[in-house]
Amino acid sequence: MTITFVLLALALGVAAGLAVLVVDELRRETRDRLPWCTTCGEQHHRHAAHR
């Protein structure tokens, strides 16, 4: 019974670690992507000059 709890705790720890890695990767991917401009509708950096 004790071994079962140890394996369950280990599995939960691994699952939590993988979830953290996935969330971090998604956040990094979103941060690196160029946003759509609400002024002109094109993709460029946030503080691009509009002429």
Side-chain angles (χ1 to χ4, degrees):
M1 193 80 149
T2 305
I3 294 174
T4 306
F5 287 128
V6 169
L7 290 176
L8 180 63
L10 183 64
L12 288 174
V14 169
L18 287 175
V20 167
L21 289 175
V22 168
V23 168
D24 182 53
E25 182 65 28
L26 289 174
R27 290 182 66 196
R28 183 175 292 139
E29 188 177 298
T30 302
R31 191 178 334 127
D32 292 342
R33 183 176 45 92
L34 288 176
W36 290 99
C37 180
T38 56
T39 304
C40 65
E42 296 180 8
Q43 272 188 318
H44 53 73
H45 296 285
R46 291 198 186 278
H47 300 291
H50 289 99
R51 297 178 212 172

